[in-house]
Amino acid sequence: MLVRTALRTISTSLARRAYSTAIPAGYTPLTVDGFVGAVGNTPLIKLKSLSEETGANIYGKAEFMNPGGSVKDRAALYVIEDAEKKGLIGPGGTVVEGTAGNTGIGLAHICRAKGYKCVIYMPNTQSQGKIDLLRLLGAEVYPVPAVAFDNPMNYNHQAKRHAENMENAVWTNQFDNIANRQAHIETTGPEIWAQTFGKVDGFTCSTGTGGSFAGVTRFLKEASDGRVKAFLADPPGSVLCSYIKSNGVLLDRSGSSITEGIGQGRVTDNLAQDIDLVDDAMTISDEKTIKMIYRLLDEEGLYLGASSCLNVVAAYEMAQTLGKGSTVVTLLCDGAYRYAERLFSQSWLESKKLRQEIPAHLEKYIVLP
């Protein structure tokens, strides 16, 4: 009896072991080398409800699934590795950057992984959640008044001066360091091309530094022999839409936006490389963006930040322009976790005159006072 019981136990154990170690068909096991190895190779998510509504295929590249939580992990890795290759920073050195948040978070993560110190200057208009996270990641953070780029007290200029006054320190200069753009030429663009089997018809996203939009656009244009259309998406208060539509004549910066980290008052060096490849541009209102935040949460289960949802609105409108059967891709830059205290707050929505934009069936998501 004991022998039979023992044999049954062994047989059951072996069966379980065989089951647990079996590799599902079509699955490729993947391990990566630390935080740095986990950057990139994000999924491409089909947005089902919007695709059905337009008759097109609308996809969002899930950049919020990067290990630091945003698309900026890619640029952060490339600007640091560019500094290393050029001998601008050595072991134990300091990385200094001016950033509206997500690049700083990516830099802080990668600095920890590589053993560097991290110093961040940022506009004091950014969410407290981003500031707190940067400090939790070990960065020195200096929130400074938000002033125009041509003002010497702009956060980027302060970051540059900080690095110049230190030994073994580098200002990574994300806005005009084209290693940022190169990250997307070498990674994001090729990933989109492979994930759509080369059948992408349109790409759109907003720009802050211009690196993501320019790099992806450059790769897709070259891979498709110019067939893929590129539309730049702009929030209110940014000059880029007016600049592109007027062939470089107008720089209209009227208005402001609830989005963070996107929009621009100038053409950065990252964007300047490829601005002639842009087919069109559109300004996306805050009203459309806030509706899309709530809609994607309700219909797709996607908890996304405002810049991601502005991109999705742009992809929806681009799909309507390109027509049924087209395939349009955008970037889902980051999640809503860093902005929840604003985006889902009754008082904040009212202060921005956006409360009335939330449809009745979506009001259940306004859970904060």
Side-chain angles (χ1 to χ4, degrees):
M1 182 68 176
L2 288 173
V3 172
R4 285 198 300 271
T5 302
L7 287 171
R8 273 199 306 271
T9 302
I10 292 169
S11 177
T12 302
S13 176
L14 288 171
R16 285 176 178 165
R17 186 178 302 170
Y19 177 79
S20 64
T21 57
I23 297 174
Y27 175 73
T28 303
L30 177 67
T31 62
V32 298
D33 189 9
F35 182 96
V36 167
V39 175
N41 288 312
T42 55
L44 195 63
I45 299 174
K46 186 170 186 177
L47 303 177
K48 294 184 294 184
S49 60
L50 299 178
S51 296
E52 290 170 4
E53 196 170 299
T54 58
N57 301 298
I58 301 176
Y59 291 91
K61 190 145 173 63
E63 293 300 287
F64 59 86
M65 293 180 69
N66 277 300
S70 88
V71 65
K72 294 297 187 178
D73 288 0
R74 297 181 190 257
L77 176 59
Y78 266 65
V79 295
I80 288 178
E81 292 191 339
D82 180 66
E84 291 171 338
K85 290 172 187 173
K86 292 176 178 176
L88 301 176
I89 190 170
T94 301
V95 171
V96 187
E97 184 56 270
T99 167
N102 279 333
T103 301
I105 291 165
L107 288 170
H109 275 290
I110 292 167
C111 283
R112 298 303 336 122
K114 287 177 169 282
Y116 299 130
K117 302 178 185 69
C118 185
V119 176
I120 300 296
Y121 281 78
M122 66 192 309
N124 59 8
T125 54
Q126 301 306 296
S127 65
Q128 189 61 42
K130 280 185 181 177
I131 296 170
D132 293 342
L133 178 55
L134 282 165
R135 288 175 172 154
L136 286 168
L137 291 170
E140 263 181 64
V141 185
Y142 296 94
V144 297
V147 295
F149 184 77
D150 57 6
N151 187 315
M153 297 308 290
N154 176 274
Y155 65 100
N156 290 292
H157 303 320
Q158 293 198 53
K160 180 183 180 183
R161 290 194 295 270
H162 189 116
E164 289 172 344
N165 290 326
M166 296 182 69
E167 295 292 327
N168 192 18
V170 62
W171 172 51
T172 45
N173 187 17
Q174 61 162 328
F175 289 91
D176 297 308
N177 181 346
I178 60 172
N180 173 349
R181 165 180 171 267
Q182 194 64 29
H184 302 283
I185 293 175
E186 294 184 9
T187 68
T188 322
E191 289 170 31
I192 291 170
W193 186 254
Q195 288 167 320
T196 60
F197 300 95
K199 294 181 180 178
V200 55
D201 298 300
F203 173 72
T204 182
C205 75
S206 52
T207 76
T209 65
S212 300
F213 179 77
V216 173
T217 294
R218 167 61 64 179
F219 179 86
L220 294 180
K221 286 284 188 181
E222 291 187 351
S224 69
D225 292 325
R227 176 182 58 80
V228 175
K229 299 297 183 183
F231 289 8
L232 186 146
D234 227 13
S238 175
V239 306
L240 297 176
C241 182
S242 64
Y243 181 87
I244 289 166
K245 283 187 171 294
S246 67
N247 294 316
V249 175
L250 297 177
L251 290 170
D252 179 12
R253 196 166 191 174
S254 57
S256 61
S257 176
I258 62 169
T259 57
E260 295 185 20
I262 59 172
Q264 192 48 264
R266 65 188 180 96
V267 177
T268 64
D269 285 356
N270 278 292
L271 181 58
Q273 309 290 316
D274 302 299
I275 200 160
D276 290 341
L277 300 178
V278 181
D279 295 290
D280 203 354
M282 60 189 95
T283 297
I284 306 299
S285 69
D286 283 349
E287 289 78 8
K288 290 180 179 179
T289 295
I290 199 73
K291 286 178 185 175
M292 190 59 75
I293 290 170
Y294 282 74
R295 182 176 177 183
L296 289 175
L297 177 57
D298 188 64
E299 296 177 5
E300 305 282 353
L302 291 171
Y303 185 57
L304 300 173
S307 57
S308 298
C309 293
L310 182 149
N311 287 350
V312 173
V313 174
Y316 178 85
E317 295 187 0
M318 186 180 200
Q320 290 177 313
T321 298
L322 296 186
K324 292 184 177 182
S326 61
T327 295
V328 175
V329 176
T330 192
L331 304 182
L332 308 180
C333 313
D334 66 1
Y337 305 97
R338 294 163 187 164
Y339 321 98
E341 73 276 10
R342 298 184 183 187
L343 298 177
F344 302 97
S345 162
Q346 177 89 11
S347 58
W348 183 84
L349 288 168
E350 289 174 353
S351 73
K352 299 297 180 181
K353 296 182 172 55
L354 293 172
R355 174 62 184 82
Q356 68 275 14
E357 300 299 328
I358 310 302
H361 72 286
L362 299 180
E363 290 178 345
K364 60 187 176 184
Y365 299 112
I366 306 174
V367 297
L368 300 176

